[in-house]
Amino acid sequence: MTEILEKDLHHWLEHVRIYANNGKVADYIPALANQQPEINAVAYFPLEGDVIHAGQSEYSFTIQSISKVITLALALVQHGENAVFNRVGKEPSSDPFYSIAKLEVESPGKPFNPMINAGALAVTNMIRGRNSEEMVEEVLQLVRLLTNDEEVYYDEEVAKSEFETAFLNRSLAYFMKQNGIITGSVEELIDVYTKQCAISLNVKQLARIGAVFANDGRDPDTNNPLIPSHVARICKTFMVTCGMYNASGTFAIEVGIPAKSGVSGAIMSIIKGGGGLAVFGPSLDERGNSVVGMQFLQKLAQEKRWSIF
Ligand code: GLU
């Protein structure tokens, strides 16, 4: 495992920031359209040593789809593998994350995997709690544990903006309710889902979550178990097969590390035996991945030979 130095982060971020011009900030969630494409940041949380960072590393963004890894871990801890995989599959879909197509044409109603929206909605529906408030609290508690930061909360403006416009996610949820994959109130489910997606972190906090996964579910500072190792392994495997939307295959070849992307422009990645690396740049390519983040990971992974394959 080649060492990563802060100067590497500065060097490559400086080198790739220009790519922001090749993408577009997500605007289907109105509040995300306000993000500044020129903002970018990166942090590496190693299993040994202190966090290093470059760019606007104090800047907070919403984690969006990266939350799907966390809710999957939570549902697996709360209900076990059998219950979770009764509701959601384990296969890549090759469709865009918001697609409804396969819900209708393949084994009716069961989403392909927990990283696409349909699968993530089915997983979030399983989180314990008597109401949406308690369910959101369960997710926040886990994120606070993983970041070692009790202050973590969600961005109310982004959550509200997505809740008011999440017509496609409501459609996915109603479709699955019809097929018995989802139970209870769809409105409450969308409330929890939009709040988990709006959890607000900076790259240093996100890199720490990656470091927990790199450490097989143990706290990178204390080594205390936070997530069972078999659950961490399942989450990392989904990040490899489905974490970068329908660019996951290309990413596996070109970068070759577990990573999860969100439409805010954040990517959480895991360096085996090394730590967690988070990169942020809100300008997205046509698949929904941060253009700066993708370029950064490609360059650094090739230089440091990170590929697990
Ligand atoms: N909240 C977003 C949605 O459901 C998350 C999508 C993403 O980051 O991929 O549309």
Side-chain angles (χ1 to χ4, degrees):
M1 171 56 217
T2 336
E3 203 184 354
I4 305 170
L5 303 172
E6 203 159 69
K7 73 173 175 39
D8 296 320
L9 303 185
H10 282 289
H11 169 78
W12 285 118
L13 193 61
E14 199 49 48
H15 191 79
V16 301
R17 64 187 336 145
I18 184 77
Y19 289 98
N21 298 330
N22 298 0
K24 205 170 141 291
V25 168
D27 57 6
Y28 75 99
I29 299 172
L32 289 186
N34 304 330
Q35 296 196 110
Q36 303 300 311
E38 61 281 0
I39 292 181
N40 50 55
V42 58
Y44 178 60
F45 200 108
L47 299 184
E48 312 265 329
D50 296 325
V51 66
I52 55 175
H53 49 92
Q56 281 122 304
S57 50
E58 294 297 327
Y59 179 84
S60 291
F61 46 82
T62 60
I63 60 173
Q64 297 299 329
S65 268
I66 300 169
S67 67
K68 294 170 180 173
V69 179
I70 294 158
T71 47
L72 173 64
L74 188 56
L76 285 166
V77 169
Q78 292 183 340
H79 303 281
E81 281 179 60
N82 286 346
V84 170
F85 296 122
N86 270 339
R87 301 240 213 147
V88 62
K90 298 176 184 163
E91 303 303 333
S93 76
S94 78
D95 291 329
F97 62 92
Y98 46 79
S99 177
I100 201 166
K102 286 213 169 63
L103 281 183
E104 192 172 25
V105 293
E106 308 266 347
S107 70
K110 185 167 160 176
F112 261 53
N113 67 69
M115 300 293 122
I116 52 173
N117 283 9
L121 287 162
V123 167
T124 294
N125 187 235
M126 299 182 78
I127 290 167
R128 288 209 182 113
R130 282 166 298 181
N131 50 43
S132 59
E133 216 172 298
E134 287 187 4
M135 292 164 79
V136 172
E137 201 48 40
E138 289 279 326
V139 183
L140 283 171
Q141 286 301 345
L142 179 55
V143 179
R144 288 171 185 152
L145 201 63
L146 299 173
T147 53
N148 191 27
D149 189 341
E150 280 302 309
E151 310 275 288
V152 166
Y153 204 60
Y154 58 85
D155 180 320
E156 296 185 18
E157 189 200 336
V158 174
K160 183 167 180 283
S161 172
E162 184 174 5
F163 184 81
E164 285 169 355
T165 53
F167 308 117
L168 201 44
N169 283 330
R170 281 184 176 82
S171 317
L172 293 170
Y174 276 114
F175 202 101
M176 289 188 287
K177 189 172 159 94
Q178 174 70 31
N179 289 319
I181 302 284
I182 275 175
T183 57
S185 157
V186 166
E187 286 307 295
E188 288 218 22
L189 172 59
I190 299 296
D191 182 38
V192 181
Y193 176 77
T194 49
K195 286 176 179 162
Q196 78 175 59
C197 288
I199 288 173
S200 179
L201 299 179
N202 61 38
V203 277
K204 291 187 273 183
Q205 294 167 312
L206 191 58
R208 193 182 198 279
I209 300 181
V212 175
F213 284 100
N215 205 22
D216 295 328
R218 292 187 307 274
D219 188 291
D221 291 317
T222 64
N223 234 19
N224 288 336
L226 305 180
I227 296 172
S229 61
H230 76 280
V231 168
R233 182 182 57 78
I234 294 171
C235 292
K236 283 187 277 190
T237 312
F238 275 119
M239 289 167 77
V240 169
T241 56
C242 320
M244 302 301 284
Y245 307 121
N246 42 337
S248 298
T250 309
F251 188 83
I253 291 172
E254 289 176 5
V255 185
I257 58 176
K260 182 74 198 89
S261 190
V263 288
S264 52
I267 302 175
M268 176 178 81
S269 63
I270 291 150
I271 319 303
K272 195 174 169 66
L277 189 138
V279 55
F280 175 76
S283 188
L284 306 180
D285 63 23
E286 65 288 350
R287 302 274 170 89
N289 293 311
S290 165
V291 278
V292 166
M294 293 289 270
Q295 287 292 332
F296 181 88
L297 289 172
Q298 256 172 36
K299 302 278 194 285
L300 204 56
Q302 276 160 20
E303 185 189 274
K304 304 284 178 189
R305 300 177 180 276
W306 278 339
S307 175
I308 59 171
F309 300 106

